[in-house]
Every structure is written in structure tokens, then in C-alpha cells.
């Protein structure tokens, strides 16, 4: 009997110990960020969450992004939105596909559509997770320019697709300050190209491409997106349940072609980083600052400094979020796109510094969250 127990125990050790060890170590592989390098998840696969964002819920971070596949077809949505979770931001557990594209060709999110830059926010009132994304209908290139929204009860999904549309039909922007009033759009005689696109799109709603969602301290949420054929950004208020637009919005940096917006708030001021508009190719980043979410948003130039700064170190902004364990420090997330083989795209995460009120992002081969403690 004793011999049998010994045997069973030995078999257990031989079979399961390596698995237990592997699991323990697989969870703790990284203790720093290496921008632009392969970044493996808990299964040893390069993280597949492009154009993404990070949402924190009770100390757990969820990274959502576009799941890309190999080859040119990977520039369309073949799978959906991938979700990973982490407690330390270095090591990420694969949580699977949070929003799946549909096999039903009549669905707005039919497999093969273009589904970009998903961002998830948690609504404290409804207790729902709300995902917004840029949606292009199957086979229509980039002409639909819609905002899509999906809802889930759990952070990792499954998210249920709700609808897609062009925001704010038949609405004019608000002009909360003298500066914006000066640029009021006049559809009987549009002052420039961008105003012309705005007026053209009033009946059906405004174009909504590159985007982010920002939740302010008071729980109000805003959808910020490239509109007017990518000429002008719109910052639009969302309803209390975060599932629709209220019709109140402003236009930002009219006619200057800003993409890839990412927003954050620090010491009572609002900051935004975006990019220029050059397809998948990198260009100089740009930043803006405002005392109120409703502007005026002041253009401040390129936040990147040092070697590689003229092309955002080969990346394009996607999201900015508060670093854990810090009072008010922020992490810049960017994508290094590889459109010929999109699945190969890498991620640039860099710390944001402020130097006499000026935002600065510099290259760092390897860094960790202790940078702010030095
Ligand atoms: C740049 C945008 O930032 C990306 O999200 C994507 O839409 C590409 N353009 C497509 O060329």
C-alpha cells in the first residue's frame, strides 16, 4: 500500500511539477518594457492587440486591441478585438477575443470589415463595459467612416455588438469660447475644405474614423474622432449610459488632419496627443492642452524629443493612461505598424515627462515603472 502511494506520488511529481513550474514562471517573464520588441503573452505568443487601449478595473489592467492576421488581408478584421489582462503591465494573460466579427455577411461587423482602434470604458452607473471603435463596412474601403459600439457585463467580454452610425446628424458644433466662435461653420458659405465636408455630412451624420473615448472625473464620457475626411477632430459628449452621442460637440484644430487621438488629464488640465495623417507610415506626433474639455485646445507641437522624434520613433499614438503606483504620471502607447504583415506590428510604450509645463516623450530601449521614483 505504502509502495503504491510512493509510486503515485512519484508519477504526480514527474507529470505535474514541470507544468506547475512552467505556469509560475510563465506568469512572471517580464519586469520591464522594451519598446519595439516582441512582447509575448502568457502563452508565449506576441501580443495581438493593435491600435488598442488599456482599461483598469480594481487593480487589473485590460488591454484591448485589433487582432491582426498575417498578410495583406490582416488589414481587415478577420477575427475581432483581442483582450489581455495584467496586474503589473509587463506580463499579459490572453483573455481571448472580446468582440468577434460576425459570419453573417449582412452584419455591420461582418468578417472582413475594418474595425480599428477599439477603446473600452466602464460605466459605473449601468455596470456595463462599453467598447467604441472605428468601423468600416465590408467591401467599402474607408468610405463608411462610422462609430461602432458594443456592450459587455465582464471586462473580458463577450461584447455584444449594438450598432454603428455616423454621429451627430443635423447638429452644429457648440462654441463655448470666443476662439471657437471665430471659427463658427457657415454652411451657406463654407470657409474652407473641412467646413465643406462638415456641411456635406450634416444630414447623415459626421464621419468618424481614428478615435478614442475619454471618461472625465465626473463620470461623463467623450468620443474624440477624426472627422470631415480626417481634416478635423471632433470631441463629442456621450449619453450617461455611454451608448450614444448627445449631439453636443466641438471641432478641434480645423483642417489640420489629426489622427490617432489619445487624451488624459493631469493636475486639472486636459492633454491630447495625436498624429498627422499619412496612412500607416509614421509622422511627427502633436500635442494639445486645454483648461476645459470644451477647449480651446491649444496646439503645442511635437512632444517627442531626441533621436527618432521626428517620426514618433516609428510609431503612432493609440492611448495614454495613468501609471500604477504614481500620483499623476502617464504612459504613452503607440503602434509600430507593419501593413504588409500586420500581425508583426510592435508596440511602443514610453513614459511621458513634463518639463516646465511642456510634454516630453523620449526614446527608452528598456524601462520600468520605477522611472518616476528616480
Ligand atoms: C492611419 C490610422 O491611424 C490607422 O488607424 C488606420 O486607419 C490607417 N491610417 C489606415 O491607412
Amino acid at each position: 500500500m505504502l509502495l503504491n502511494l510512493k509510486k503515485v506520488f512519484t508519477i504526480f511529481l514527474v507529470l505535474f511539477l514541470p507544468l506547475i513550474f512552467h505556469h509560475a514562471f510563465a506568469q512572471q517573464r517580464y519586469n520591464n518594457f522594451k519598446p519595439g520588441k516582441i512582447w509575448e503573452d502568457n502563452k508565449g505568443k506576441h501580443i495581438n492587440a493593435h491600435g488598442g487601449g488599456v482599461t483598469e478595473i480594481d487593480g487589473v489592467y485590460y488591454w484591448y486591441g485589433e487582432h491582426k492576421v498575417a498578410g495583406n488581408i490582416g488589414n481587415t478584421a478577420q477575427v475581432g478585438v483581442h483582450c489581455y489582462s495584467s496586474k503589473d503591465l509587463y506580463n499579459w494573460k490572453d483573455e481571448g477575443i472580446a468582440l468577434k466579427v460576425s459570419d453573417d455577411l449582412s452584419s455591420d461587423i461582418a468578417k472582413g470589415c475594418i474595425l480599428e482602434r477599439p477603446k473600452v470604458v466602464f460605466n459605473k452607473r449601468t455596470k456595463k463595459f462599453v467598447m467604441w471603435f472605428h468601423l468600416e463596412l465590408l467591401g467599402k474601403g474607408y468610405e463608411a467612416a462610422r462609430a461602432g459600439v458594443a456592450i459587455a457585463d465582464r471586462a473580458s467580454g463577450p461584447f455584444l455588438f449594438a450598432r454603428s452610425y455616423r454621429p451627430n446628424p443635423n447638429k452644429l458644433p457648440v462654441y463655448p469660447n470666443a476662439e471657437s466662435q471665430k471659427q463658427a461653420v457657415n454652411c451657406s458659405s463654407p470657409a474652407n475644405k473641412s467646413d465643406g465636408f462638415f456641411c456635406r455630412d450634416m444630414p447623415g451624420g459626421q464621419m468618424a474614423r481614428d478615435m478614442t473615448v475619454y471618461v472625465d472625473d465626473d463620470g461623463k464620457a467623450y468620443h474624440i474622432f477624426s472627422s470631415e475626411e480626417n481634416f478635423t477632430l471632433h470631441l463629442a459628449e456621450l449619453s450617461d449610459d455611454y451608448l450614444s452621442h448627445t449631439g453636443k460637440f466641438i471641432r478641434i484644430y480645423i483642417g489640420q488632419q489629426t489622427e490617432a487621438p489619445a487624451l488624459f488629464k493631469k493636475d486639472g488640465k486636459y492633454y491630447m496627443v495625436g498624429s498627422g495623417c499619412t496612412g500607416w507610415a509614421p509622422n511627427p506626433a502633436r500635442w494639445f492642452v486645454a483648461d476645459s474639455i470644451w477647449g480651446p485646445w491649444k496646439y503645442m507641437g511635437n512632444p517627442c524629443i531626441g533621436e527618432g522624434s521626428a517620426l514618433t520613433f516609428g510609431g503612432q499614438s493609440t492611448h495614454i493612461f495613468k501609471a500604477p503606483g504614481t500620483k499623476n504620471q502617464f504612459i504613452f502607447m503607440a503602434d509600430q505598424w507593419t501593413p504588409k504583415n500586420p500581425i508583426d506590428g510592435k508596440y511602443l510604450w514610453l513614459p511621458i515627462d513634463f518639463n516646465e509645463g511642456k510634454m516630453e516623450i523620449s526614446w527608452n530601449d528598456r524601462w520600468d515603472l520605477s522611472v518616476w521614483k528616480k
Side-chain angles (χ1 to χ4, degrees), residues 174-177 180 212-225 233-238 246 248-253 261-266 268-273 288-298:
V174 292
Y175 305 113
N177 46 69
S180 59
T212 193
V213 177
Y214 173 74
V215 179
D216 208 342
D217 304 332
D218 59 3
K220 274 220 159 294
Y222 303 87
H223 178 211
I224 301 96
F225 51 96
L233 281 174
H234 287 194
L235 182 147
E237 186 182 66
L238 292 177
T246 64
K248 181 176 178 186
F249 66 99
I250 54 169
R251 298 165 79 210
I252 298 174
Y253 210 34
L263 233 91
F264 65 103
K265 189 180 188 178
K266 182 179 161 74
K269 280 189 191 294
Y270 296 85
Y271 294 91
M272 176 161 52
V273 178
F288 304 83
V289 63
D291 290 328
S292 153
I293 191 105
W294 295 112
W297 284 87
K298 190 169 176 217

Side-chain angles (χ1 to χ4, degrees), residues 10-62:
T10 317
I11 292 172
F12 172 82
L13 283 186
V14 170
L15 281 180
F16 292 108
L17 220 56
L19 275 180
I20 292 167
F21 268 110
H22 175 79
H23 190 69
F25 288 117
Q27 297 293 317
Q28 280 305 326
R29 303 190 44 215
Y30 295 106
N31 54 15
N32 53 35
F33 303 107
K34 287 194 197 123
K37 295 281 185 274
I38 292 278
W39 195 347
E40 289 179 353
D41 65 10
N42 62 318
K43 295 176 177 161
K45 280 193 159 176
H46 181 50
I47 291 171
N48 198 338
H50 309 266
V54 167
T55 307
E56 188 251 342
I57 303 290
D58 299 331
V60 180
Y61 292 83
Y62 294 87

Side-chain angles (χ1 to χ4, degrees), residues 66 114 116-117 134 142 210 259-260 275 278-280 316 337:
E66 304 158 29
I114 293 172
E116 293 181 339
R117 298 187 178 272
H134 164 204
Y142 277 87
D210 273 17
E259 284 193 321
S275 73
T278 52
W280 300 111
Q316 187 185 26
W337 303 112

